[in-house]
Amino acid sequence: MTQEELFKKLVAHCKEYGFVFPSSEIYDGLGAVYDYGQNGVELKNNIKRYWWDSMVKLHENIVGIDAAIFMHPKTWEASGHVGAFNDPLIDNKDSKKRYRADVLIEDWLAKQDEKIQKEVDKARKRFGEAFDEEQYRATSPRVAEIAAKRDAVHARFAEALNASDLAELRQIILDCEIVCPISGTRNWTEVRQFNLMFSTQMGSTAEGANTIYLRPETAQGIFVNFLNVQKTGRMKLPFGIAQIGKAFRNEIVARQFIFRMREFEQMEMQFFVKPGTEMHWWNEWKNTRMAWHRALGFGDDNYRFHDHDKLAHYANAATDVEYNFPFGFKEVEGIHSRTDFDLGNHQKFSGKKIQYFDPESGESFVPYVVETSIGVDRMFLQVMSAAYCEEKLENGDERVVLRIPAALAPTKVAVMPLVKKDGLPEKAREIIDNLKYDFVVTYDEKDSIGKRYRRQDAVGTPFCVTVDHQTLEDGTVTVRHRDTMAQERIAIEALHAMVDEECSFRKLFRKLNL
Ligand code: GAP
């Protein structure tokens, strides 16, 4: 199965099993907007809890807030979003399809890496066990040729992005002979800038109404509350403010399911530091955030950092945490050193002094900011991509299992009476009553036990508990483990403690060493 086929199956699975639905589907959906179903919302809430607790509970110097989506319009002038929150767009005149010029070039660059990898794979086959990949990469003329071309284009691309040179972006597209995936032609328009913010009107009449924006990032709600939190919380530098909330961007090229949406959710933490210490904290947060991702156990090699070619208008250093999705390594999270750009500009635009008084030095200054910013939906897609697994079993059966880490799994336990009589359903309900205050638990009595196991595997439930006639005699049940399919007999009294240990966030948090 190709990665593309795998991804298609994953998207279909998300819908079939109540994780993600297209928004307003009965009206044929709305582009790049999605709803989360009964299982999706549980997974999403667990992801948010993993993030929130790791920030706010495990750091004494980080507190949370929940700011409004609507903000004073001046916010977005001060933040630079009115002037600079643009994507470079290009249209293909034959297909009439619109693309992001930078994405077309990035895809071309990624293809060069794939070409190199193919050369390496071919050589490995040819040379067998004696193959030395490092030496081959360093000496193969074909690899050198592709790499040189890629590096030259990459250098031009980075320069054009940083200079916002739209004509040069177009020229790179032409020089690389990039074609429209729909029409297959190179009949491109000029490249234009397009602002990504959604706007609406505030007030009951159009006259005198104020244009306001739906926030394109949650961060600004934190910046404008910096003084409120610092003063009321008596916070001392360095300290952080965390927030989870919706953000909106009028993405023109919405792709890859919930990877790029027009309405999405962010988990952002702004860490305020003394000027001059920001690079130290930027590196610290890179390590902390990478450890958070890796603790989920999806394989360390599936993550990497990717430094930005073009720094956003507010940043002096920026990197992405990328995950190896079925469609390649792509950004899940950004870690940005934002200098004093935001607080400094809000001070300028509002006319209010936004400074920190350092009791040690007796000085006042505008703090610098290091932010960690991750999309809930992208994290959701990461978990689903990593967890989705099709397996052939020893008896010839097949199963689809979601190997979601137990703490994040939507349902922790499915309780199943072997038959719908003889007091077994009643006993199963008793067990549920004993677990339901602490865990999401479900009851299932329909179909054979085997079919019920498959249903729970497909939504990632870590434990199935079967109640049978022996349960009535000796108070034990069969616990079947999702990943290994191993079964064990345990006492009903021991169930709560076992589920608590296996599904707790404690297990994950311990790995973070915070
Ligand atoms: N405050 C900084 C900021 O917003 P960003 O790199 O534009 O930085 C941060 O966004 C994260 O938000 C991304 O790494 C991604 O996970 C998520 N994100 C951004 N745009 C998104 C979109 N259109 N759909 C889904 N997630 C998105």
Side-chain angles (χ1 to χ4, degrees):
M1 183 168 39
T2 64
Q3 291 298 91
E4 207 171 306
E5 286 162 351
L6 172 76
F7 190 60
K8 270 195 190 144
K9 283 194 171 181
L10 178 65
V11 174
H13 191 88
C14 279
K15 183 167 172 216
E16 190 180 343
Y17 286 92
F19 283 89
V20 184
F21 307 125
S23 159
S24 30
E25 196 185 6
I26 56 168
Y27 297 105
D28 296 333
L30 184 66
V33 186
Y34 291 89
D35 298 337
Y36 286 84
Q38 64 280 17
N39 288 313
V41 70
E42 294 291 346
L43 172 56
K44 206 175 177 213
N45 285 340
N46 291 335
I47 289 172
K48 289 195 260 186
R49 176 159 173 223
Y50 179 40
W51 185 87
W52 184 267
D53 285 2
S54 75
M55 286 291 176
V56 175
K57 263 198 194 166
L58 301 189
H59 289 92
E60 269 180 23
N61 59 350
I62 298 181
V63 292
I65 64 163
D66 182 21
I69 288 171
F70 291 152
M71 300 181 73
H72 193 285
K74 272 201 181 160
T75 308
W76 306 109
E77 285 175 45
S79 69
H81 284 83
V82 171
F85 195 52
N86 302 316
D87 273 348
L89 298 186
I90 190 164
D91 291 19
N92 182 269
K93 291 183 196 165
D94 299 319
S95 67
K96 310 269 182 279
K97 287 278 169 201
R98 184 162 288 176
Y99 300 91
R100 269 176 59 176
D102 55 333
V103 172
L104 286 179
I105 299 170
E106 271 169 11
D107 286 351
W108 183 90
L109 289 167
K111 268 196 199 121
Q112 308 316 300
D113 287 333
E114 282 165 25
K115 271 189 196 168
I116 292 174
Q117 190 57 48
K118 265 194 195 141
E119 292 295 321
V120 171
D121 292 345
K122 262 197 286 178
R124 179 175 288 113
K125 263 197 197 144
R126 235 182 12 247
F127 293 113
E129 289 209 340
F131 183 62
D132 180 340
E133 178 170 339
E134 208 174 310
Q135 195 193 357
Y136 180 77
R137 279 180 183 269
T139 54
S140 155
R142 178 76 186 124
V143 168
E145 188 192 333
I146 303 168
K149 200 169 160 197
R150 178 202 58 196
D151 292 347
V153 170
H154 186 258
R156 278 177 71 191
F157 175 53
E159 208 179 312
L161 274 183
N162 279 314
S164 294
D165 187 343
L166 303 183
E168 171 68 350
L169 285 177
R170 180 171 189 269
Q171 196 55 49
I172 295 172
I173 289 172
L174 297 180
D175 292 349
C176 293
E177 303 185 342
I178 296 173
V179 297
C180 165
I182 308 287
S183 67
T185 70
R186 290 183 231 143
N187 196 6
W188 297 110
T189 62
E190 299 303 309
V191 178
R192 285 165 298 119
Q193 293 284 27
F194 179 85
N195 193 286
L196 297 181
M197 282 197 294
F198 283 104
S199 64
T200 185
Q201 249 72 48
M202 195 156 184
S204 53
T205 58
E207 288 153 59
N210 255 331
T211 297
I212 56 167
Y213 296 101
L214 273 70
R215 65 181 178 196
E217 62 170 6
T218 54
Q220 297 304 323
I222 288 177
F223 293 129
V224 299
N225 277 299
F226 167 75
L227 278 186
N228 285 337
V229 174
Q230 192 268 316
K231 293 220 154 87
T232 56
R234 289 176 291 121
M235 309 299 290
K236 296 224 170 357
L237 290 192
F239 76 90
I241 305 179
Q243 179 174 212
I244 299 178
K246 290 269 182 160
F248 305 83
R249 295 182 189 179
N250 195 3
E251 300 281 1
I252 291 308
V253 187
R255 291 197 307 183
Q256 280 132 351
F257 191 37
I258 55 172
F259 184 82
R260 198 175 296 286
M261 302 157 89
R262 297 201 167 101
E263 174 181 339
F264 58 100
E265 212 165 351
Q266 287 186 316
M267 306 188 279
E268 296 203 293
M269 194 281 299
Q270 268 63 40
F271 199 68
F272 299 93
V273 303
K274 269 190 191 165
T277 65
E278 71 273 15
M279 284 305 150
H280 162 76
W281 287 111
W282 184 62
N283 281 312
E284 281 289 303
W285 278 109
K286 276 174 68 174
N287 293 336
T288 306
R289 294 304 303 149
M290 189 55 105
W292 184 89
H293 285 280
R294 287 182 169 168
L296 292 173
F298 295 142
D300 290 1
D301 291 348
N302 284 322
Y303 299 91
R304 69 181 188 194
F305 287 117
H306 177 253
D307 290 342
H308 286 200
D309 285 323
K310 183 191 179 193
L311 292 175
H313 55 277
Y314 48 70
N316 70 354
T319 197
D320 294 334
V321 176
E322 291 189 339
Y323 175 73
N324 191 9
F325 286 98
F327 41 86
F329 273 97
K330 294 279 174 210
E331 170 189 352
V332 178
E333 169 159 8
I335 300 162
H336 312 129
S337 171
R338 289 181 80 130
T339 68
D340 59 354
F341 176 89
D342 301 272
L343 290 184
N345 265 9
H346 285 306
Q347 180 169 257
K348 203 156 80 195
F349 278 70
S350 68
K352 310 263 168 29
K353 190 172 166 193
I354 306 180
Q355 298 203 349
Y356 174 79
F357 175 72
D358 184 355
E360 276 167 30
S361 67
E363 286 173 339
S364 288
F365 53 84
V366 179
Y368 270 42
V369 173
V370 172
E371 81 173 349
T372 72
S373 175
I374 173 169
V376 180
D377 313 270
R378 261 188 216 181
M379 188 59 205
F380 185 104
L381 189 57
Q382 182 197 307
V383 172
M384 290 299 279
S385 307
Y388 183 88
C389 187
E390 292 181 6
E391 281 181 358
K392 231 187 166 66
L393 306 180
E394 273 172 16
N395 65 2
D397 283 358
E398 284 177 11
R399 73 163 181 163
V400 172
V401 56
L402 293 185
R403 296 176 181 277
I404 300 174
L408 303 186
T411 302
K412 308 302 186 204
V413 186
V415 183
M416 312 167 165
L418 189 62
V419 289
K420 285 188 249 176
K421 54 183 186 180
D422 304 337
L424 299 189
E426 291 75 9
K427 194 73 194 167
R429 295 272 180 211
E430 242 178 63
I431 292 171
I432 286 183
D433 285 344
N434 198 27
L435 297 173
K436 71 182 180 190
Y437 295 134
D438 299 305
F439 313 107
V440 177
V441 189
T442 188
Y443 175 82
D444 192 359
E445 60 173 22
K446 202 165 170 281
D447 301 320
S448 69
I449 284 288
K451 274 195 181 159
R452 287 184 251 175
Y453 284 164
R454 292 289 163 276
R455 269 203 293 274
Q456 295 304 325
D457 288 344
V459 296
T461 307
F463 301 108
C464 290
V465 169
T466 305
V467 176
D468 55 19
H469 293 94
Q470 192 184 331
T471 309
L472 304 181
E473 284 163 26
D474 64 7
T476 63
V477 286
T478 303
V479 174
R480 184 257 193 190
H481 297 254
R482 178 195 68 197
D483 294 346
T484 59
M485 295 187 291
Q487 301 191 12
E488 58 176 335
R489 196 92 202 164
I490 74 167
I492 292 173
E493 289 93 79
L495 256 185
H496 191 287
M498 186 218 49
V499 177
D500 186 47
E501 180 52 27
E502 293 303 317
C503 298
S504 78
F505 281 87
R506 276 192 305 279
K507 255 191 147 175
L508 282 177
F509 291 147
R510 273 192 213 115
K511 293 191 202 168
L512 303 181
N513 290 323
L514 289 172

